[in-house]
Amino acid sequence: MTTKKFMFVNRKAPYGTVYALESLEVVLITAAFDQDVSLVFMDDGVYQLKKGQQTKGIEHKNFSPTYRALEGYDIEKLYVDRESMTARSLTEDDLLVPVTVLSRDQLTSLFEEQDVVLSF
Amino acid sequence: MPNIEVNGKTYETDEEGYLVNLGDWNTDVADFIAKVENVDMTDQHWEVVNFLRQYYDEYQIAPAVRVLTKAIGKTLGPEKGNSQYLYELFPYGPAKQACKIAGLPKPTGCV
Amino acid sequence: MLHIINKSSLERGSLDSCLELIGTGTLLLIEDAVYAATRGHASSGKLSEIAAKRNVFVLVPDCEARGVADRLIEGVKAVDYGGFVDLVAENPNCHSWL
């Protein structure tokens, strides 16, 4: 099987919609196929990685610890959009996992080099 | 087996025998499920089951076999972090069978 | 009137539209709308302005779920589910923005 470059674009906040959780599940399944996977977090999607999520009050499963398991699944290319972070006053210290912060120009290049792009 | 009864208490399971409620788990329930699975629980089995529970506690998912194997190798040593060792303990698959005994959901992506 | 918003202000225009015609009403932010009430957020400025004149509430369990309960802007009041019910009961009518 040839390796393709897969990119998951995450643009929704967690819990308000099901997109974030669905994306995470697809990413974990994709990991079994040994592809070149990148995750991009932009717009409200950067909130998926916010530290300190406590979901007891809304009676929803807190899936944020699972982002820390991605490394064990050999998914290590996590990118966040700098402008989305700034608009939300977030810094890398606010995030659960190590990420690479990219400018819009860098993101454009990253998008262009992909074989498959999946949007959530 | 839609429900199992252990020590006079009833526990809900799904059609494949996985516990429905994570919080229901205890070692007696684990022993019971192991018997149904024809697994004779030894210290080595418990080590893997406890490892899985710790993994779930930390990451909120049941790991894929490949990930479990690697993680066990890192923590418990390479002689245990290989699929031969794990399949000897759990012949029907360490992820499926050990997760079931550990009271975890079926690993994501495991069909 | 109680205005309830549940969508992110950076994704939908409901907060902006609501602020245009809130009048003397009360605002309650729930679900993804709570992010707007966090310090440094792009929408926090206009929310602060409204909070100085009107009652602005956020639903605490939704803030906790999103890890932002510790970074709410000044002037915004916290409510739990019981407080949510009280707000609905106290106000003559209510508009849940889509």
Side-chain angles (χ1 to χ4, degrees), chain B residues 68-84:
Chain B
L68 173 69
T69 310
K70 201 168 72 176
I72 284 187
K74 231 187 228 173
T75 318
L76 305 176
E79 70 281 3
K80 290 175 179 173
N82 62 80
S83 48
Q84 197 195 338

Side-chain angles (χ1 to χ4, degrees), chain B residues 25 30-31 34-35 37-53 68 72 76 80 84-94 97-99 101-102:
Chain B
W25 189 88
D31 270 326
K35 270 201 194 83
E37 293 284 327
N38 273 320
V39 172
D40 214 355
M41 293 295 283
T42 65
D43 286 350
Q44 280 94 339
H45 290 87
W46 281 112
E47 191 175 49
V48 174
V49 165
N50 289 328
F51 185 90
L52 271 171
R53 289 192 62 83
L68 173 69
I72 284 187
L76 305 176
K80 290 175 179 173
Q84 197 195 338
Y85 174 80
L86 294 171
Y87 272 92
E88 265 168 31
L89 294 176
F90 302 99
Y92 285 91
Q97 222 166 16
C99 281
I101 296 167

Side-chain angles (χ1 to χ4, degrees), chain B residues 2 4 9 11 13-14 16 18 20 24 26 33 44 61 67-68 73-74 78 82 84-86 92 98-99 102 107:
Chain B
I4 55 173
K9 246 195 103 183
Y11 300 92
T13 61
D14 67 13
E16 292 178 88
Y18 289 83
V20 171
D24 278 352
N26 57 54
I33 298 173
Q44 280 94 339
I61 46 164
V67 179
L68 173 69
K74 231 187 228 173
N82 62 80
Q84 197 195 338
Y85 174 80
L86 294 171
Y92 285 91
C99 281

Side-chain angles (χ1 to χ4, degrees), chain C residues 58-91:
Chain C
V58 289
L59 190 61
V60 170
D62 283 329
C63 297
E64 289 171 344
R66 290 159 180 77
V68 297
D70 58 351
R71 50 169 70 197
L72 296 172
I73 56 170
E74 294 282 310
V76 164
K77 300 171 187 73
V79 281
D80 57 11
Y81 289 112
F84 187 165
V85 174
D86 291 340
L87 281 173
V88 174
E90 281 162 18
N91 282 274

